[in-house]
Amino acid sequence: MRMLYIVAIIVALAVSLTTDAQETSSLHLMPWPASVKSTPSSQPLLIQTSFSVGLGNASDPALRRTAEIFLNDLRRHTGSLPLDFQISNDPGNAQLKLKSEHPSKRIQELGEDESYTLEVTSSGAELNAPTTLGVMRGLQTFLQLVEIGPQGFAVPAVFIEDKPRFPWRGLMIDTGRHFMPVEVIERNLDGMAAVKMNVFHWHLSENQGFRVESKRFPKLQEMGSDGLFYTQEQVRDVIAYAHERGIRVIPEFDMPGHSTSWFVGYPDLASAPGPYSIERKWGVFDPAMDPTRESTYKFLDEFIGEMAKLFPDQFFHIGGDEVNGKQWDANPKIQEFMRAHSLKNNADLQAYFNTRVQKIVEKHGKTMEGWDEILRPDLPKSIVIQSWRGQQSLADAARQGYRGLLSSGYYLDLMGTAASHYAVDPFSDGAANLSDQEKQKILGGEACMWAEYVSPENVDSRIWPRTAAMAERFWSSQNVTDVNSMYARMDHTSKWLDAYGLTHNTNYVPMLERMTDGSNISGLRTLADVVEPVKGYAREGLATAEPTSLTPLNRVIDAARPESATGREFGDLVNRFLAGQIKPGMEIQIRSMLSSWRDSEVQLSASAQDSSLVREVMPLSHDLSMLGAAGLQALDYIDRGEKAPEAWKSQQLALAQRAIQPRAQLLLTVASPVQKLIQASAGDKPTELPFPKNASD
Amino acid sequence: MRMLYIVAIIVALAVSLTTDAQETSSLHLMPWPASVKSTPSSQPLLIQTSFSVGLGNASDPALRRTAEIFLNDLRRHTGSLPLDFQISNDPGNAQLKLKSEHPSKRIQELGEDESYTLEVTSSGAELNAPTTLGVMRGLQTFLQLVEIGPQGFAVPAVFIEDKPRFPWRGLMIDTGRHFMPVEVIERNLDGMAAVKMNVFHWHLSENQGFRVESKRFPKLQEMGSDGLFYTQEQVRDVIAYAHERGIRVIPEFDMPGHSTSWFVGYPDLASAPGPYSIERKWGVFDPAMDPTRESTYKFLDEFIGEMAKLFPDQFFHIGGDEVNGKQWDANPKIQEFMRAHSLKNNADLQAYFNTRVQKIVEKHGKTMEGWDEILRPDLPKSIVIQSWRGQQSLADAARQGYRGLLSSGYYLDLMGTAASHYAVDPFSDGAANLSDQEKQKILGGEACMWAEYVSPENVDSRIWPRTAAMAERFWSSQNVTDVNSMYARMDHTSKWLDAYGLTHNTNYVPMLERMTDGSNISGLRTLADVVEPVKGYAREGLATAEPTSLTPLNRVIDAARPESATGREFGDLVNRFLAGQIKPGMEIQIRSMLSSWRDSEVQLSASAQDSSLVREVMPLSHDLSMLGAAGLQALDYIDRGEKAPEAWKSQQLALAQRAIQPRAQLLLTVASPVQKLIQASAGDKPTELPFPKNASD
């Protein structure tokens, strides 16, 4: 009986301790608003079946559509049905009154006012904004305030004044390397709207695929996409869907490099003779457009003209990154052209190309955007630089009068922690010393989802919830930096986003079940919960066979989350425990986790024989079991007030050292906290293993 | 340390015992084929990136589309990507060769040959069928054979000969009471195809809503649907989607009753003057079409003519159930008409109506189908009776020469167990003594999803996985009745169906999280895992407020599964334990479950104060805790070989008696097995509580 009693304590404490962290903030708002005054003593506003939204003296017909979308979201978050909540024609009696002073622009513009004020009392709520765009942002705040209470779903009494810090808060999704169907895009637009992001940067062409229907040059999609492309009608649908949610859509057609897929149908565009085929491998490749032939610009003029009509946004992204120049070097005509035009090197040649393309983009009424490489003083100040190089690069551009946005530090495919992305600020480091006027040139930032290793099945789990942390960085005040608060609210937001059909949580178990043929996954899950994919660009270096766009993404690395919540929780517990901040039940919880790891190898080994996908993680499982046992032994020494023997310590530290080595391209997140327990048990000062943050490349 | 060691044993045993049950059948096929010869000693066929399907000398152009759909399904089940598997133009080298001797009908017909043979060896597979329809069925078998193995995904060597027992294997979804968007329909069509069902019966009109666009009578959907209807284009898309998967689509327009929504736009159709409004409540209502006016038949002629063109299937379902006759009784003109035509009662009047409607249906080239009530000797033998009354009703019809199908015993909304549905056979009970010729009149059966209490969010969890058991009843031989094997394969099929985007598993946790505002749900989940919604029509009787179509479906009853897998597992364990079939670890697993229940009340009470949706289940949580404690005490007595005192026994049996009472419209499934433990501990013979199976009404 005693044993069962203790089991019960473990279970009960597991609950109380995990909820604890979330109480750092009682409101689950993310991004955190500019000003929140909450009055917890007041009664909340109840969301009942009679709930209605009043549109006030709406000057913008789009406001009604905004209210409809809001009511549908509210239904999803409360489990209500489509016949309950109403848009009221009698705003006087509505529980939520919406007022926008001016309509938003028909085509959403950079820098439109997105501010709002929201007042909620027990008798009703008022949301006022200068524009309908501000109403949209305020409605997301209202939604995030909805929570189940003693009397049903309700919104606490608050007064919020809010506006964004940056006007450009983007997410880029690369649909070139792996195609993402429209439903993937749309559910991610819902997620973006939920965290007040306003730019969807649609990376549409790559060596591995050209993803938009061109009516003028149909061989682009016919020969360059394997049949996986968006029709123009689908593009228009996506743009409309985004527009209704206050999100601009910026297309990127990468040129002159990253463009093999164009050349399959149009080999004459390239700098070397064809034929070309769609690239299956990953990396930087030789094919590049020929910048010396007028026919290239004639093609681009017609193509950009067609796309400029299809995509209404002011900005047009031409990529411009990573040209290795090999085709240019090898082509005598191009070399001759360079000499004739005094172009000293390939960078000069690309600058010449960009200048020509910029004129074409401008001719079609658009403003050119590109990656760092495009920045050359001969381009007009109107262009926008997206920086993968960092704040210094942005600051240099700003000092020259160029606008820019930051993507360095925001690459989702590099598998960094939310905290690491959260710590990157467009105004920090190299940009910290800019004048206020120069700072205005920095428009914001974009999270980037490069798609070598994501499929429609797992892409959401790479984007969410970490992108919510970046959305807060771009929206909230620069001094909103409390990492514990961020994680508590991000964890809540992650579940909140389930309502939009995002699959970052729901696809996890089915992916693991597939690896065990549907049989019990508890052993596999115990392991998968504490591993993370290797960081940075390490995955390719550690591959046993060269990955291609045909390689299945069905392994543990593809299901494992970029950041292990269990690993983070365990690390926090150990740090607090060793710092003497010991709470009741804390040690039992640590022991419970350690013993579940110790035992997981036995559970998992049963399915290892039957599954190649399980077998490859068995070395990690073995080390996890060893770490579990080592951690328990360390706690025994600590509990007994006995110093662990040196020989034991050395042996266990060697184990921890081994355990941090990547296997199956995965990292064991709990090696470092276990090492601390071992060190502490031997009377040594606990140190962090150089892992996993520095295992980036 | 001892404690932790025992925790470890519990965890390890929980794994080994739950996998045990699934080994009753090593192949996860469902429905079970007519003949399976497996050769486990042979090497399996590996599914590699180079996998290709050869179409043989395809006489049916639809075969290529069938192969495309198959490859897409295969990708989903293996986590592969769209560029890998190919349809080969050189069938000689293909790993899977498909051959259909004849094309399927352009419009799928009742009774088309669906048989196939499938042979798999390590070097390749051949699937042969008389028709493409048979190929579709065989491909589902092939897919179900795919499992992860030591060398990756593979199909074991087998030889299968298969054909269905019944030609009509249907699922009805009621989209009248609660509208279901197209994506809900399509993912359920995927699920149907996976278990070889071939009829989607689309219940399209109800008192609460008219769900199809009529161009001839647009006020039907404009005024009768709250804007929630299918456009004709959507209907055509659904039909095409179903057709590609070998599924016929039969529309049902219920008449002359269940038709209030028609009268909102067309009050003259009714038997009493309008105006009418869409019904919000559930039940049988007075409004019915006026069978005495020629204008009614003129309307129906035009309407049925329009719908007969929209829905290509041979059969047209006119409902015909549950007319209470009150409007007819109260209308003097109708009474006069009945006298003038010698119609003695309302049944005669409805028969007159049906005869007229049948002629209209026939005129538009269709065969009429309806519920039991339509059967009257004056209707031609071509009509088909769908029986909600039972096998006797079907048998009576068959003896009169009418064809029929069984739905009695297959109502998903009544929350029965899979085993209870599985036990119902169209040829049993009243139909058992039919001659072989009469039996041919019984076409099969249909599972029915009536929609008072389902939303797009939880409807899948009412349909799946239980419908897979009925699909097996309709397809497999009548002697396939092993319930343990059925449950093992159904559990596997349930996870298998996740790949089609069905949400019966994935929506469970998010629905529970919504009830706790996203905080830790382990206590709530422990409870929700062992409760079931009340059975039969008990839900309405136990409602505290009259439910309507506006009532949110967001409570524990709406998330809880119709059949608790944990409850079933615990009941099995206790039965085996008390029967002396004790295995190592069995008692520890029973104790582990009991103690988790005992402790769940403490965990849950924390969120009870903060959530009205949790608060209502606290009485159940309390009883679950008491049952957990009682069960543990009973085991203590048994372990000590000591007879439990009478006083204690009476007290605990009273608790079990109380615990089976429904609260929050939920039943605690573990009360009965705990009672058995209590009885056994006191030396009494264990008895089953009359629960929950008999708590039906």
Side-chain angles (χ1 to χ4, degrees), chain A residues 454-520:
Chain A
V454 289
S455 68
E457 183 175 50
N458 76 347
V459 64
D460 295 357
S461 73
R462 276 64 187 125
I463 298 175
W464 306 104
R466 294 179 300 157
T467 292
M470 287 176 262
E472 175 156 293
R473 179 58 47 240
F474 304 149
W475 176 281
S476 304
S477 166
Q478 190 168 1
N479 61 19
V480 175
T481 53
D482 184 311
V483 172
N484 289 333
S485 165
M486 179 278 283
Y487 271 120
R489 290 176 294 109
M490 189 185 81
D491 288 347
H492 187 272
T493 302
S494 177
K495 293 173 185 167
W496 174 257
L497 292 172
D498 286 341
Y500 297 104
L502 285 162
T503 62
H504 55 298
N505 291 317
T506 52
N507 275 359
Y508 183 59
V509 165
M511 286 184 79
L512 296 179
E513 284 174 341
R514 192 169 54 207
M515 298 174 207
T516 59
D517 200 27
S519 67
N520 194 303

Side-chain angles (χ1 to χ4, degrees), chain A residues 1 3-8 10-12 14-15 18-19 22 28 49 75-84 146-153 178 226 228 280 455-457 492 495 498 506 510 513-520 522 549-554 591-592 595 598-599 603 609-613 615 632 636, chain B residues 1 3-8 10-12 14-15 18-19 22 28 49 75-84 146-153 178 226 228 280 455-457 492 495 498 506 510 513-520 522 549-554 591-592 595 598-599 603 609-613 615 632 636:
Chain A
M1 283 305 291
M3 172 273 285
L4 291 161
Y5 175 69
I6 296 174
V7 172
I10 295 176
V11 173
V15 178
T18 47
T19 49
Q22 294 181 3
H28 304 302
T49 308
R75 286 182 194 110
R76 294 197 269 193
H77 284 298
T78 57
S80 302
L81 292 160
L83 303 176
D84 38 17
V146 173
E147 54 186 29
I148 185 74
Q151 296 160 276
F153 286 94
H178 278 121
D226 298 293
L228 301 168
R280 301 295 181 207
S455 68
E457 183 175 50
H492 187 272
K495 293 173 185 167
D498 286 341
T506 52
E513 284 174 341
R514 192 169 54 207
M515 298 174 207
T516 59
D517 200 27
S519 67
N520 194 303
S522 62
S549 53
L550 281 71
T551 308
L553 298 171
N554 59 6
R591 280 186 180 271
S592 164
S595 57
R598 184 196 51 193
D599 303 327
Q603 295 173 49
Q609 300 312 312
D610 298 332
S611 168
S612 57
L613 298 174
R615 200 178 47 214
L632 287 166
D636 287 347
Chain B
M1 282 309 289
M3 174 271 286
L4 291 161
Y5 175 67
I6 295 173
V7 172
I10 294 176
V11 173
V15 178
T18 48
T19 48
Q22 294 180 2
H28 304 302
T49 308
R75 285 179 195 113
R76 294 198 270 192
H77 284 297
T78 57
S80 302
L81 292 160
L83 302 177
D84 38 20
V146 173
E147 54 186 30
I148 185 73
Q151 297 160 277
F153 287 94
H178 279 121
D226 298 295
L228 301 169
R280 300 297 182 206
S455 68
E457 183 176 50
H492 187 271
K495 293 172 185 167
D498 287 341
T506 51
E513 285 174 341
R514 192 169 55 208
M515 299 175 206
T516 58
D517 200 26
S519 66
N520 193 303
S522 63
S549 54
L550 281 71
T551 308
L553 298 171
N554 58 6
R591 281 185 178 271
S592 165
S595 57
R598 185 194 53 194
D599 303 326
Q603 296 173 47
Q609 300 311 311
D610 298 334
S611 167
S612 57
L613 298 175
R615 202 178 46 214
L632 288 167
D636 287 347

Side-chain angles (χ1 to χ4, degrees), chain A residues 28-40:
Chain A
H28 304 302
L29 298 169
M30 191 165 210
W32 193 253
S35 158
V36 182
K37 292 189 187 103
S38 98
T39 42

Side-chain angles (χ1 to χ4, degrees), chain B residues 89 254 286 508 621:
Chain B
N89 294 318
D254 211 341
D286 301 348
Y508 183 59
S621 179

Side-chain angles (χ1 to χ4, degrees), chain A residues 619-645:
Chain A
L620 288 149
S621 179
H622 177 70
D623 281 1
L624 180 63
S625 289
M626 300 289 281
L627 287 172
L632 287 166
Q633 283 175 287
L635 281 174
D636 287 347
Y637 286 119
I638 293 171
D639 288 358
R640 290 199 298 264
E642 192 180 308
K643 205 175 148 197

Side-chain angles (χ1 to χ4, degrees), chain A residues 228-249:
Chain A
L228 301 168
F229 65 91
Y230 308 101
T231 66
Q232 294 204 354
E233 190 185 342
Q234 288 176 318
V235 169
R236 277 187 287 268
D237 285 349
V238 166
I239 291 169
Y241 194 91
H243 182 72
E244 290 181 340
R245 285 155 182 81
I247 298 171
R248 299 161 47 212
V249 178

Side-chain angles (χ1 to χ4, degrees), chain B residues 406-455:
Chain B
L406 188 65
S407 279
S408 167
Y410 303 136
Y411 274 23
L412 294 158
D413 54 311
L414 302 191
M415 301 289 163
T417 61
S420 71
H421 295 305
Y422 196 62
V424 177
D425 195 288
F427 283 168
S428 68
D429 295 332
N433 297 321
L434 290 178
S435 70
D436 283 354
Q437 205 184 342
E438 286 161 348
K439 277 188 176 169
Q440 298 225 341
K441 298 286 180 191
I442 298 184
L443 303 173
E446 273 188 13
C448 290
M449 182 72 264
W450 299 107
E452 282 90 343
Y453 299 110
V454 289
S455 68

Side-chain angles (χ1 to χ4, degrees), chain B residues 503-569:
Chain B
T503 62
H504 55 297
N505 291 318
T506 51
N507 275 358
Y508 183 59
V509 164
M511 286 185 79
L512 296 178
E513 285 174 341
R514 192 169 55 208
M515 299 175 206
T516 58
D517 200 26
S519 66
N520 193 303
I521 59 158
S522 63
L524 182 58
R525 184 168 184 168
T526 300
L527 177 63
D529 278 351
V530 297
V531 294
E532 292 176 2
V534 288
K535 308 299 166 182
Y537 297 102
R539 180 168 180 166
E540 273 174 34
L542 295 168
T544 50
E546 184 171 6
T548 72
S549 54
L550 281 71
T551 308
L553 298 171
N554 58 6
R555 297 160 57 215
V556 175
I557 185 179
D558 301 306
R561 277 76 180 266
E563 180 170 15
S564 158
T566 308
R568 170 161 54 85
E569 186 191 351

